[in-house]
């Protein structure tokens, strides 16, 4: 007998049955489903809605089923349309009439909402942990390359010299925002939904606070209609996953470019590359390309969820069954991508000499020449115009700024005296940019110190030339 059988005779067209069955994917919720059922059964006994001995019998039966599912000995049946059906069917088979009382005061609507919230809370923690591991790799690499000069780009054109450490730290801060977004998502997910029934609560004297404490939730939901109809927390988590993948994709794009023969800034270990079936010289950055490609997949998961929810009237609708596959796919992809990125970066070989040579080409020191003129009293706009003319002349001759003689410099302006040769140095240019958040080595070291404080998850004060702030990081939200 199906859980919902009564108003209908339970017969379902075979194609409809295939369409509606969710067990192949929601079986992943077995642990959350059973834990929620144990808490519900314990509350039913505590409030004496059912006899305490029945509650104990139900809990023992559920614990046995959980053990079977964990060790792989649980046997599913063809008529188990979802994980909730499978658990309750097995419980009744194991303990008899008492098992039929488990669902007292509960609907599959609030039950699945509970399962999803518990699962999301655990998945958020797992993703945050993976982000932290990747951030640690980035910080360690940045510390090794605080003085490794490389070209900075805008529009993928040479702009100004920076350091590899500074460049990598940019991704640390992107991931830090991702981590805090997940913390925000956790706060809104940490709501106990059980006890609101199908949509209108229940006449049984349920103790929702009891269940909240049993399961470790921060608070209970406020409105029964909203509780069973809400999938904002799923959309928010998948949205955070999409942004994480977007950030990883940008880094992957750079690794792909940097590993080309034209750049040769980095070489990835063989474990993260493949060869060509035809061209024996090829070493393709497949891992980076696949992460970049899977970003579109996770973005598609988000769009699918938004389209599913956009026109649903209150309260629960079966359309919402579509949330699970999208959630599972997005979060699985993010976890796999973060793991691969961490190990791929940790073993990558960056070619500092190649980067430094590139940083001195393409007129990247033009702004420093303009700044030199400003220091001599020339308005910046005039200096900008003059240096642009100098670059244009050099480009026509096919030479770099460093190849101009002192006489050629002074021919453009008497302010461009012999001291200009000291400006035409990438290390000097980077060192001069010592504003907070800049690429100067001491400022990058400040960033790294700040990042390490965040990763240590301990409140501390950092007061330095570059950064003066309080760093406080909480792994979990406070419980009452």
């Amino acid at each position: 007998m199906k859980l919902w059988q009564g108003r209908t005779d339970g017969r379902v067209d075979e194609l409809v049955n295939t369409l509606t069955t969710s067990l192949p994917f929601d079986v992943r919720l077995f642990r959350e489903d059973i834990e929620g059922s144990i808490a519900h059964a314990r509350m039913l006994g505590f409030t004496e809605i059912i006899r305490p001995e029945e509650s104990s019998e139900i809990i023992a039966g559920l614990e046995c089923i959980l053990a079977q599912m964990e060790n792989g000995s649980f046997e599913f049946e063809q008529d188990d349309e979802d994980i909730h059906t499978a658990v309750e069917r097995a419980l009744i088979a194991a303990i008899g009439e008492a098992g039929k009382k488990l669902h007292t005061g509960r609907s599959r609507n609030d039950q699945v909402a509970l399962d999803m919230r518990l699962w999301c809370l655990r998945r958020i923690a797992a993703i945050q942990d993976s982000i932290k591991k990747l951030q640690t790799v980035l910080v360690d690499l940045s510390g090794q390359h605080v003085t490794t000069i490389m070209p900075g780009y805008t529009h993928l054109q040479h702009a100004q010299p920076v350091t590899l450490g500074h460049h990598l730290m940019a991704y640390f801060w992107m991931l830090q925002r991702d981590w805090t977004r997940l913390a925000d998502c956790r706060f809104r997910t940490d709501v106990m939904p059980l006890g609101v029934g199908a949509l209108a609560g229940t006449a049984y004297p349920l103790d929702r606070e009891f269940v909240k404490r049993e399961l470790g939730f921060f608070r209970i939901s406020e409105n029964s209609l909203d509780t069973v109809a809400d999938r904002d927390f799923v959309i928010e988590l998948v949205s955070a996953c999409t942004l994480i993948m977007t950030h990883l994709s940008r880094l992957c794009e750079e690794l792909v470019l940097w590993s080309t023969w034209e750049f040769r800034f980095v070489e990835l270990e063989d474990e993260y590359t493949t060869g060509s079936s035809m061209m024996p010289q090829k070493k393709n950055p497949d891992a980076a390309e696949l992460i970049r490609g899977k970003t579109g997949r996770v973005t598609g998961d988000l769009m699918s969820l938004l389209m599913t929810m956009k026109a649903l009237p209150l309260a629960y609708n079966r359309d919402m069954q579509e949330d699970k596959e999208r959630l599972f796919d997005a979060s699985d992809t993010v976890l796999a991508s973060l793991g691969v990125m961490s190990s791929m970066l940790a073993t990558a070989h960056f070619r500092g000499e190649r980067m430094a040579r590139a940083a001195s080409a393409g007129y990247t020191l033009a702004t420093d020449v303009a700044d030199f003129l400003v220091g001599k009293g020339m308005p910046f706009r005039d200096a900008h115009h003059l240096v642009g003319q100098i670059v244009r002349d050099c480009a026509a001759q096919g030479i770099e700024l460093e190849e101009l003689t002192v006489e050629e410099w002074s021919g453009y302006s008497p302010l461009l005296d012999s001291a200009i040769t000291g400006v035409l140095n990438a290390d000097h240019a980077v060192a001069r940019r010592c504003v907070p958040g800049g690429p100067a080595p001491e400022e990058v070291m400040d960033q790294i110190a700040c990042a390490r404080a965040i990763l240590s998850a301990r409140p501390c004060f950092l007061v330095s030339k570059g950064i003066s702030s309080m760093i406080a990081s909480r792994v979990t939200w406070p419980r009452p």
Side-chain angles (χ1 to χ4, degrees), residues 3 28 81 115 142 185 188 262 265 274 284 315 328 357 406 430 436 442 456 473:
L3 293 182
R28 294 181 62 165
E81 62 184 14
D115 294 357
S142 297
C185 179
R188 282 178 285 277
E262 287 75 16
F265 286 179
T274 65
N284 302 322
F328 297 157
R357 288 197 300 271
V406 173
V430 170
E442 62 265 36
S456 71
S473 177

Side-chain angles (χ1 to χ4, degrees), residues 21 25 72 78 82 110 152 169 194 268 289 303 313 334 365 441 475:
T21 297
F25 50 87
Q78 187 174 358
D82 55 34
D110 59 349
M169 282 303 296
L194 205 62
L268 302 177
E289 291 174 345
M303 293 301 104
V334 164
L365 299 175
V475 176

Side-chain angles (χ1 to χ4, degrees), residues 285-307:
D286 279 23
E289 291 174 345
L290 283 169
I291 293 173
R292 184 179 62 184
K294 288 179 183 296
T295 302
R297 173 177 176 160
V298 176
T299 303
D301 290 329
L302 175 60
M303 293 301 104
S304 176
L305 282 168
L306 290 169
M307 292 303 99

Side-chain angles (χ1 to χ4, degrees), residues 119 126 301 339 351 468:
W119 194 91
D301 290 329
R351 296 191 175 98
S468 176

Side-chain angles (χ1 to χ4, degrees), residues 51-72:
R51 288 184 290 113
E53 55 268 29
E54 291 176 318
S55 172
S56 298
E57 192 177 359
I58 291 171
I59 291 170
L62 289 169
E63 288 173 342
C64 181
I65 293 170
L66 178 58
Q68 291 173 354
M69 288 195 172
E70 287 178 334
N71 65 30

